[in-house]
Amino acid sequence: MDQDSHCTAERELLEAGNRIPTFSTTSPSDEEPNQSKAEIPCQVRKKNLEKDDLQDSNASLSPNSSMTTKELQEYWRNEKRQCRQVKLLFEIPSTRIVEHHLAKYVMYKIIILQTGSFDGNKSVIERRYSDFEKLHRNLLEEFSEEMEDLTFPKKTLTGNFTEEIINERKLAFKDYLRLLYSMKYIRRSQKFIDFLTRPELREAYGCLRGGQYTKALEILSQVVGLQERLTRGNPISIVPTLCAIVVCYKDLDNPASAFEYGEKALSLLQVHTSHRYYIPLLETMIALAYELGKDFLSLQEKLEEWKAKKDPVRVFTLKELAVREYVQ
């Protein structure tokens, strides 16, 4: 998408917001002084979230951490980068009608863009009406107060596949996603994040379990970027995806790329050594470093140090952990 079309997309978002007086059209800033009614959750939730953030920060500085001064400095540099505000735009440029056995439905193509990004850094997903409906129902269970003025496109008895109805829903769903994202506690919720990433992740892990590593890697590589932008406040949540990418590259005999993604995942686990992925990842990184002729002694020291502190327990391999994700 070139710069002109990207700016046009942003301008359309602002104009759409101006047509809806009951919602704020401000960007998702956590410190806006003038909040809309939909942006004001209960005070209890605010206090609890702020308390949790403080506890997470304090936990990161635990005296039990084995990080060196250099590693701590690098960790905080990464944390600062993660905390930078990321604004996303949602576009629904096209649709397609799917006929499967006795079912017939419309798939909406959703393009998720990062504002100020003109390098093609975008994510493309597809969702149907029932997916949006399920998201709305799930969010109402937790955010009924914030969403009390939000209107969801209703089903019609007839005409669901007419061009007029489809175009109306395209615009409605675009505004719907924008408004959800503008509310801090909703855009941070796992339900919202799952709506945008879970179907693709389930497909990718299914391919991984079936030995289709190239296909799995293709999907995982696309979704991990979106995950990173959606979970800036909780970067540890992308570790399983990064580790799945490591497994794919390793089984595709590409140890260099596997090591690259493994380093990224390991950096996120520096102060989370009790995480279930930490030891399996560390063992995999040692094997990869040895294969690539890299220094593996420092990694080996961390492994031995962890084993000295913990009681011996059965630990799954990285691949065993990966194939267990999204198995339901």
Side-chain angles (χ1 to χ4, degrees):
M1 179 177 292
D2 58 28
Q3 182 170 352
D4 290 340
S5 59
H6 189 98
C7 292
T8 300
E10 292 189 75
R11 186 162 56 251
E12 287 177 356
L13 283 173
L14 292 175
E15 291 173 353
N18 291 331
R19 296 194 299 269
I20 306 177
T22 56
F23 292 96
S24 168
T25 57
T26 56
S27 61
S29 171
D30 296 345
E31 299 297 333
E32 286 292 340
N34 298 317
Q35 293 177 317
S36 66
K37 185 176 182 181
E39 185 71 21
I40 305 176
C42 63
Q43 294 300 319
V44 174
R45 184 183 292 125
K46 277 187 176 181
K47 291 179 181 179
N48 288 342
L49 284 173
E50 290 169 358
K51 181 178 179 182
D52 292 342
D53 291 342
L54 181 60
Q55 289 174 342
D56 290 343
S57 178
N58 290 336
S60 297
L61 296 176
S62 168
N64 295 325
S65 173
S66 60
M67 298 174 68
T68 64
T69 301
K70 182 178 179 181
E71 288 172 336
L72 279 169
Q73 290 173 343
E74 180 61 27
Y75 172 78
W76 284 117
R77 278 195 293 270
N78 289 334
E79 285 293 296
K80 289 178 181 178
R81 284 195 291 268
Q82 294 290 347
C83 290
R84 290 175 186 169
Q85 185 183 12
V86 174
K87 302 176 186 178
L88 300 181
L89 295 174
F90 298 88
E91 290 289 333
I92 304 182
S94 62
T95 62
R96 63 187 179 94
I97 297 176
V98 177
E99 296 190 55
H100 183 67
H101 298 303
L102 300 177
K104 183 178 180 181
Y105 52 88
V106 179
M107 293 294 290
Y108 296 85
K109 181 179 180 180
I110 306 169
I111 298 178
I112 306 166
L113 304 164
Q114 182 173 324
T115 59
S117 175
F118 303 104
D119 59 356
N121 186 20
K122 64 182 180 181
S123 300
V124 181
I125 60 176
E126 282 189 316
R127 297 292 182 267
R128 54 189 291 190
Y129 181 95
S130 60
D131 296 323
F132 281 97
E133 190 176 40
K134 182 180 178 181
L135 169 66
H136 189 70
R137 187 169 58 251
N138 289 340
L139 289 176
L140 281 175
E141 294 175 358
E142 186 176 355
F143 303 103
S144 58
E145 182 180 350
E146 294 90 329
M147 298 174 62
E148 62 183 355
D149 293 327
L150 197 154
T151 302
F152 187 82
K154 294 181 180 180
K155 280 186 176 180
T156 59
L157 294 176
T158 60
N160 287 302
F161 302 103
T162 64
E163 184 177 354
E164 181 182 0
I165 293 296
I166 291 174
N167 286 333
E168 286 179 0
R169 286 183 176 173
K170 278 169 56 178
L171 294 174
F173 284 141
K174 183 173 110 172
D175 283 341
Y176 178 75
L177 290 173
R178 176 182 62 82
L179 291 167
L180 289 180
Y181 185 74
S182 73
M183 293 182 257
K184 177 173 64 176
Y185 297 103
I186 290 182
R187 73 171 175 268
R188 289 181 177 180
S189 72
Q190 193 58 50
K191 292 175 181 178
F192 182 67
I193 294 171
D194 282 348
F195 169 78
L196 296 171
T197 61
R198 190 174 181 87
E200 285 71 26
L201 286 172
R202 289 181 66 87
E203 181 184 0
Y205 279 98
C207 291
L208 191 155
R209 285 189 290 273
Q212 298 175 284
Y213 301 115
T214 301
K215 179 63 175 177
L217 187 59
E218 178 184 343
I219 301 171
L220 291 168
S221 298
Q222 291 180 5
V223 77
V224 72
L226 178 57
Q227 274 188 301
E228 287 176 331
R229 296 194 291 276
L230 289 168
T231 61
R232 287 295 174 103
N234 183 28
I236 199 74
S237 62
I238 70 168
V239 166
T241 307
L242 292 172
C243 289
I245 292 175
V246 171
V247 169
C248 289
Y249 272 126
K250 189 172 184 297
D251 280 32
L252 289 171
D253 294 323
N254 189 340
S257 294
F259 191 84
E260 178 185 347
Y261 278 89
E263 280 189 314
K264 188 171 184 178
L266 200 57
S267 70
L268 297 175
L269 295 177
Q270 293 285 7
V271 292
H272 301 277
T273 58
S274 61
H275 195 282
R276 71 186 188 282
Y277 271 90
Y278 180 68
I279 292 305
L281 177 60
L282 203 52
E283 292 175 336
T284 299
M285 291 295 285
I286 291 171
L288 288 170
Y290 181 80
E291 182 178 355
L292 294 168
K294 295 179 178 289
D295 173 31
F296 62 89
L297 294 179
S298 59
L299 297 172
Q300 186 69 46
E301 289 174 0
K302 290 181 179 180
L303 179 61
E304 296 301 328
E305 183 178 348
W306 186 92
K307 288 182 177 179
K309 290 181 180 179
K310 306 287 183 179
D311 293 331
V313 292
R314 181 178 182 271
V315 178
F316 291 112
T317 66
L318 197 65
K319 187 172 183 177
E320 287 173 339
L321 276 180
V323 299
R324 283 169 167 76
E325 294 284 348
Y326 294 92
V327 175
Q328 294 180 355

